[in-house]
Amino acid sequence: EVQLVESGGGLVQPGRSLRLSCTGSGFNFGDYAMNWVRQAPGKGLEWVGFIRSKPYGGTTEYAASVKGRFTISRDDSKSIAYLQMDSLETEDTAVYYCTRRVTSVAATDYWGQGTLVTVSS
Amino acid sequence: AIQLTQSPSSLSASVGDRVTITCRASQGINRALAWYQQKPGNAPKLLIYDASSLESGVPSRFSGSGSGTDFTLTISSLQPEDFATYSCQQFNSYPLTFGGGTKVEIK
């Protein structure tokens, strides 16, 4: 069974950093691109960014709202994707989801349960 | 960035109704669109990919259509478990973007 489990969320002050982890199981993690998607309280979904699988270069793409502040990386040996969030702003408060991207079609097929990040002083 | 505009933002419907939700892209995205269902407190669930392909395990009352800029999600006969928020997402170009969501409520 495919599972994605996020961890690392919590309360953080504006301007500080936080690193989220996404641990995958039940599939060959290294074969898939991994996305991060967030949802602010009571709001819609916002794509944050993604990292390609190593066969596709392992490169990253980001939303304009986080580019230069957030960094996505992966450790395929541990089946983990990371979201390093620096210079956090109150507007970054959201539930952060890790999702698996299906390369050959337009879709992300599995989502984690999400982890809440609250940026507040 | 490509903008996705969903309409309506919310609707009230009864069990058994046919429900149609639209998603309009600010520029052509071929068929690179997915639809998701989200219930309160839960992660979204994939319903439709490539604009019209039904994800495995999703009931056949859900269908998707469209290409280019105009897309539709249809629920042929609304069931009690279908009351949720539905969102579209484009995969044509980066940054990937979502529509604002459509909340389907009980009438």
Side-chain angles (χ1 to χ4, degrees):
Chain A
E1 178 192 8
V2 172
Q3 284 194 317
L4 298 170
V5 178
E6 302 93 338
S7 60
L11 176 63
V12 60
Q13 293 179 326
R16 304 298 290 266
S17 298
L18 200 64
R19 188 178 78 163
L20 305 183
S21 299
C22 167
T23 303
S25 60
F27 66 103
N28 191 345
F29 189 85
D31 287 346
Y32 289 85
M34 300 302 296
N35 291 271
W36 288 93
V37 174
R38 68 184 180 183
Q39 187 168 37
K43 302 296 185 181
L45 300 165
E46 180 186 15
W47 178 79
V48 172
F50 99 128
I51 185 165
R52 295 176 177 85
S53 61
K54 290 289 172 56
Y56 287 85
T59 52
T60 54
E61 305 283 350
Y62 298 96
S65 58
V66 307
K67 197 168 185 178
R69 299 188 299 123
F70 289 11
T71 304
I72 299 172
S73 59
R74 62 190 301 155
D75 183 342
D76 292 342
S77 69
K78 297 180 180 178
S79 298
I80 299 178
Y82 299 101
L83 177 64
Q84 176 68 40
M85 304 185 292
D86 298 323
S87 303
L88 282 161
E89 304 168 352
T90 55
E91 293 77 17
D92 296 319
T93 293
V95 173
Y96 284 74
Y97 295 102
C98 166
T99 78
R100 188 180 82 166
R101 170 76 190 271
V102 185
T103 304
S104 57
V105 301
T108 54
D109 59 352
Y110 284 92
W111 295 61
Q113 84 288 351
T115 187
L116 176 62
V117 173
T118 302
V119 184
S120 174
S121 55
Chain B
I2 295 174
Q3 294 185 344
L4 297 181
T5 303
Q6 280 185 242
S7 60
S9 57
S10 65
L11 66 89
S12 296
S14 301
V15 173
D17 284 353
R18 182 182 182 88
V19 169
T20 299
I21 299 167
T22 64
C23 178
R24 175 163 290 175
S26 59
Q27 62 190 76
I29 59 170
N30 299 305
R31 297 177 60 81
L33 188 98
W35 288 97
Y36 303 93
Q37 176 194 66
Q38 187 178 24
K39 297 181 180 179
N42 290 337
K45 171 189 172 184
L46 177 65
L47 299 176
I48 301 286
Y49 62 92
D50 286 348
S52 60
S53 296
L54 192 68
E55 172 70 351
S56 176
V58 174
S60 59
R61 63 180 179 273
F62 291 93
S63 64
S65 64
S67 66
T69 60
D70 294 312
F71 300 86
T72 299
L73 174 70
T74 300
I75 309 172
S76 59
S77 178
L78 198 65
Q79 298 301 300
E81 60 268 30
D82 300 337
F83 292 96
T85 297
Y86 295 85
S87 299
C88 55
Q89 183 187 19
Q90 67 84 17
F91 288 82
N92 184 74
S93 62
Y94 298 102
L96 306 187
T97 45
F98 286 91
T102 297
K103 187 174 184 179
V104 177
E105 299 176 301
I106 301 173
K107 194 172 193 178

